[in-house]
Amino acid sequence: MSAKSVMVLGTTSGAGKSWLTTALCRYYARQGLKVAPFKAQNMSNNARVVSEGEIGSAQYFQALAARAVPDVRMNPLLLKPEKDTQSQVVLMGQVNAELSRMEWRGRSASVWPVVSRALDELIAENDVVVMEGAGSPAEINLKSSDIVNMRAAQHAHASCLLVTDIDRGGAFAHLYGTWALLDEAERRSIKGFVLNKFRGDAKLLAPGPQMLQDMTGVPTVATLPMWWQHGLPEEDGVFDDRSVASGAVTRTVAVIAYPRISNLDEFQPLKNVPGVRLKWVRSPADLMGADWVILPGSKHTSGDLAWLRAQGLDQAVAAHAGRGGAVLGICGGLQMLGEALIDPHGIDGNAPGLGLLPVVTVFDEAKTVRHRQAAFTPLQGLWAGLSGVGVQGYEIHHGQTAPHTAMAAAGDIARAVMPEGLAWQNQAGNVLGLYLHGMFEDPRVLKALFGAAVPTLDSVFDGLADYITEHFAPGVLQSLISDC
């Protein structure tokens, strides 16, 4: 078996590469083909646990769309930003301290043999490999060290689509400029241009697509209308507040969007629950009217906690909790809710916590990365509906959390509401913290909290495939795997 390779490139970050790659994975899988996704290098703090370690969330969902088992070869290099100039490097699913310290240009040369081997293995095992680029393939200051765009495309002899966000303006210039900055051999691999996020009458685009084809020889193969609610979890940024579930809003869920937020994609299902509004919060004013406040995961807990204090959100969250409002902390958010962060190994940093849970977190050198199935023990107060509910999710964290000894002696006891210290609740019952990511992706939890069922991921993937089938020119998607 030797796969045909299709690659989705973008003129910019945010052009629509990830969702289009996901759609193509499901489209080709529905043809009865064995399909695998691939992205050589992903920079994201949204990661998922697979059997060999962790990969970027986008490739995890692309694998599910392809009806394949996600594995580390699909995203062999994952960069998880911790500071503006520092990232944790995950190679083939495992944190690599040596690569994390290495200057990034030298890192590319070091990892290419591993990356190309992973790609070769996927090509050998599948009928189609759907590849995703990163940023732009025409960043001429970075191109000599770029392993994720044209180097990977040329290695796989991929047929490439170049997608642009027409809603930003300048789409034809973005497409032409990107094409013009590629080498001649690279230009030949571009089989079609895609205009994404179009609003209005497509006839008004003429004569732009034909003029562009006259200059480049590349046809515009799809104009994709703006689609606010495709249902796929976001990867690169917080969601748009335009996305409000159907029906009258009965519950507003406010998620603190600190700078190093991680695993934000796990909140996508809340957008689809009838009556729930998901709101991203960066200031105390944004918390007005919130029923729930969620402190999500963080790639740098002490740094995001300092940011939260600088915005005055520490006092706003405390006031919300003091009024009896519901507060939920997940992973790094759980750690922030406690009394203190203690870092004897220089992993994250020491800091006082928010003091809303009588627990203390100690950072450990060993990183916990694993799937978990657990069940809540009896809970009190606002979260009582979760009592006895089973949850399937995943852990990715360094810290270990335990009751604060002095506070426990004084009678302020944190209640463990999951086995092995996975979740804690305060005595009043309105503050809950847990290490398990993915709670809202479990239909049992959604049923217990909202009495609601939401669209399955499988139906979302089918919707994406239907969408591109409708909007791509006839025959184009099949031709991409016929003339590679």
Side-chain angles (χ1 to χ4, degrees):
M1 186 180 292
S2 181
K4 303 293 187 180
S5 298
V6 176
M7 189 166 195
V8 179
L9 302 165
T11 57
T12 60
S13 295
K17 294 185 292 294
S18 293
W19 85 261
L20 181 53
T21 302
T22 309
L24 289 169
C25 284
R26 176 49 59 96
Y27 173 86
Y28 290 121
R30 293 203 304 195
Q31 313 308 310
L33 300 168
K34 187 177 181 184
V35 182
F38 178 82
K39 185 168 184 173
Q41 174 182 293
N42 196 350
M43 178 175 282
S44 177
N45 275 331
N46 297 307
R48 294 287 168 140
V49 175
V50 298
S51 60
E52 308 93 335
E54 53 184 306
I55 63 173
S57 290
Q59 284 64 64
Y60 178 87
F61 289 115
Q62 288 161 6
L64 298 183
R67 298 178 175 145
V69 177
D71 78 60
V72 294
R73 297 175 300 172
M74 297 169 179
N75 175 210
L77 188 64
L78 174 63
L79 309 181
K80 306 183 78 172
E82 297 177 317
K83 300 176 183 177
D84 289 344
T85 58
Q86 179 180 319
S87 292
Q88 182 184 75
V89 177
V90 179
L91 182 66
M92 295 298 285
Q94 302 298 317
V95 175
N96 189 303
E98 181 180 354
L99 289 174
S100 299
R101 292 189 294 267
M102 187 180 295
E103 195 271 336
W104 72 269
R105 291 183 191 273
R107 180 195 302 150
S108 295
S110 297
V111 301
W112 175 248
V114 178
V115 168
S116 59
R117 184 166 59 250
L119 176 55
D120 289 341
E121 290 176 1
L122 292 176
I123 290 173
E125 296 170 12
N126 291 277
D127 298 312
V128 179
V129 173
V130 185
M131 304 166 63
E132 181 185 345
S136 163
E139 301 287 1
I140 55 178
N141 58 315
L142 307 176
K143 192 171 180 181
S144 64
S145 301
D146 185 0
I147 62 171
V148 66
N149 289 300
M150 299 317 298
R151 188 170 184 180
Q154 297 289 287
H155 184 85
H157 306 289
S159 292
C160 299
L161 296 171
L162 181 60
V163 59
T164 193
D165 177 357
I166 196 170
D167 195 49
R168 296 185 181 189
F172 294 118
H174 287 162
L175 290 168
Y176 180 79
T178 302
W179 175 89
L181 287 171
L182 297 178
D183 298 338
E184 182 59 37
E186 296 169 344
R187 292 177 188 172
R188 288 195 294 269
S189 70
I190 306 297
K191 305 302 182 183
F193 294 140
V194 177
L195 300 172
N196 189 31
K197 303 182 185 178
F198 180 73
R199 291 190 273 188
D201 184 353
K203 293 192 293 291
L204 298 177
L205 293 171
Q210 186 59 54
M211 293 175 66
L212 189 61
Q213 183 171 351
D214 292 343
M215 290 185 286
T216 65
V218 180
T220 297
V221 296
T223 299
L224 305 176
M226 182 71 77
W227 191 9
W228 296 114
Q229 295 249 42
H230 53 62
L232 189 68
E234 296 284 347
E235 182 191 39
D236 292 329
V238 296
F239 300 113
D240 196 307
D241 261 351
R242 294 184 186 91
S243 300
V244 179
S246 59
V249 175
T250 58
R251 190 173 311 179
T252 297
V253 178
V255 182
I256 308 294
Y258 21 72
R260 301 300 176 198
I261 186 173
S262 70
N263 300 83
L264 60 87
D265 54 320
E266 65 181 306
F267 301 111
Q268 168 68 32
L270 293 178
K271 293 173 58 183
N272 302 324
V273 175
V276 171
R277 179 191 179 200
L278 184 65
K279 181 180 182 182
W280 296 93
V281 170
R282 298 181 181 87
S283 71
D286 293 339
L287 273 182
M288 295 293 294
D291 299 295
W292 289 7
V293 175
I294 298 179
L295 279 70
S298 168
K299 191 62 189 71
H300 196 267
T301 306
S302 63
D304 278 343
L305 185 53
W307 174 89
L308 190 143
R309 286 194 165 101
Q311 311 309 308
L313 278 164
D314 57 333
Q315 298 178 38
V317 173
H320 176 84
R323 294 191 294 269
V327 178
L328 173 67
I330 301 176
C331 198
L334 158 63
Q335 295 168 351
M336 293 182 193
L337 289 174
E339 295 294 326
L341 306 175
I342 301 173
D343 186 7
H345 305 290
I347 303 295
D348 189 283
N350 299 294
L354 298 177
L356 297 179
L357 278 176
V359 296
V360 172
T361 296
V362 178
F363 290 105
D364 191 0
E365 290 182 295
K367 187 176 185 180
T368 300
V369 179
R370 58 185 174 183
H371 283 288
R372 290 297 299 269
Q373 293 191 44
F376 287 100
T377 59
L379 282 84
Q380 299 173 348
L382 297 178
W383 301 103
L386 292 173
S387 297
V389 174
V391 184
Q392 181 171 296
Y394 58 100
E395 294 178 74
I396 305 180
H397 59 91
H398 277 282
Q400 303 297 324
T401 301
H404 188 285
T405 306
M407 298 189 72
D412 191 2
I413 300 172
R415 301 179 62 250
V417 291
M418 262 190 183
E420 302 178 43
L422 276 175
W424 304 89
Q425 187 179 35
N426 67 341
Q427 287 184 310
N430 63 319
V431 179
L432 175 66
L434 73 160
Y435 271 118
L436 208 60
H437 290 286
M439 181 172 86
F440 296 117
E441 295 172 347
D442 194 311
R444 296 170 293 182
V445 170
L446 294 177
K447 184 71 174 177
L449 290 175
F450 305 104
V454 299
T456 65
L457 273 174
D458 212 52
S459 68
V460 169
F461 299 145
D462 281 332
L464 294 175
D466 291 342
Y467 190 74
I468 62 172
T469 301
E470 177 183 357
H471 292 291
F472 268 76
V476 167
L477 297 177
Q478 196 62 36
S479 72
L480 294 173
I481 61 172
S482 298
D483 62 352
C484 293

